[in-house]
Amino acid sequence: MPQFDFYQDTRIRTWERCHFKVEAESYEAAVAIIKNFCDCDVNNHEEEVEFGPLEILFEHSEKIDPGKNEGRATIRIYAEDDTPIIDNAPFGTDTSGAAKETKTIGRQDNRKNLPEEKTWGVFLYSEEYFPSDVSDREIVERWRQTCKNETSAPVENLTPDEFAHRLNEGGLIAGYKVRFIHY
């Protein structure tokens, strides 16, 4: 009987352990150096810090539920040629594109017969490509076309949390407008 190849991607939350040594005049001075960096940032401290191996602490890993991943899939199964087969996102909530082509793990119903569920997106769109009175539908359509064609995007769709993070980090780009769209 023939065999067929598949693979599964699973999103997990885990801890990493980064070992390092700090060159300093005293323990207190070493602690002061450490308090000025985070995430094993070699580039900013290469003169004072010698980084060793990085360990992934698998015993502290846990799978993430789609509800804690903004409704996006945390398990996806693909054919060996990268064709999406199935995922565990609630129907209509995965904005990655894979869920639109697949069935949902644990569901036996026919997705084509279900009403499309909507989700909120924070759309950043270029003033260069759109007039001020552009409709929500046009923005969403352009974003979907961009996702399919994998071209440079005059429209970007962020989750509210991603948008807040970018806003708090000062990462908004001049020349873009923001629209909250339920699509």
Side-chain angles (χ1 to χ4, degrees):
M1 191 175 298
Q3 291 185 335
F4 304 92
D5 294 325
F6 300 91
Y7 66 91
Q8 176 176 306
D9 290 345
T10 304
R11 184 153 188 202
I12 62 169
R13 179 181 5 234
T14 192
W15 283 91
E16 293 178 339
R17 179 172 294 152
C18 179
H19 297 270
F20 57 93
K21 296 178 182 181
V22 177
E23 186 175 315
E25 294 295 322
S26 66
Y27 176 80
E28 291 76 19
V31 169
I33 292 169
I34 291 168
K35 288 184 177 181
N36 286 320
F37 75 95
C38 185
D39 194 23
C40 293
D41 188 357
V42 176
N43 295 327
N44 292 331
H45 302 280
E46 49 191 40
E47 294 173 7
E48 307 147 325
V49 181
E50 177 186 327
F51 290 94
L54 178 69
E55 296 176 59
I56 298 187
L57 305 177
F58 292 107
E59 65 273 15
H60 298 289
S61 298
E62 62 182 292
K63 289 183 180 178
I64 302 172
D65 183 79
K68 294 183 179 178
N69 193 38
E70 298 166 349
R72 291 181 286 198
T74 58
I75 299 173
R76 292 192 178 115
I77 298 176
Y78 297 89
E80 195 61 34
D81 67 356
D82 300 328
T83 302
I85 303 295
I86 194 167
D87 65 42
N88 70 337
F91 176 70
T93 60
D94 192 327
T95 59
S96 68
K100 293 176 181 69
E101 303 172 27
T102 63
K103 294 183 178 179
T104 302
I105 294 172
R107 293 185 68 121
Q108 299 299 319
D109 51 11
N110 184 342
R111 290 170 60 128
K112 292 178 183 176
N113 296 330
L114 294 173
E116 187 175 334
E117 294 180 30
K118 293 186 173 189
T119 189
W120 280 99
V122 182
F123 288 82
L124 304 175
Y125 59 97
S126 172
E127 294 173 326
E128 183 180 329
Y129 290 95
F130 298 100
S132 297
D133 61 347
V134 64
S135 71
D136 289 354
R137 176 179 282 196
E138 290 176 86
I139 293 170
V140 172
E141 269 310 304
R142 183 62 182 261
W143 169 72
R144 285 185 174 142
Q145 289 171 357
T146 302
C147 290
K148 287 179 190 172
N149 299 330
E150 296 183 11
T151 60
S152 61
V155 178
E156 188 174 356
N157 181 9
L158 305 173
T159 65
D161 286 343
E162 290 168 337
F163 176 70
H165 176 74
R166 186 174 295 179
L167 186 63
N168 290 335
E169 297 297 318
L172 291 180
I173 301 169
Y176 279 77
K177 294 192 177 215
V178 177
R179 180 106 37 108
F180 293 82
I181 302 175
H182 198 226
Y183 68 103

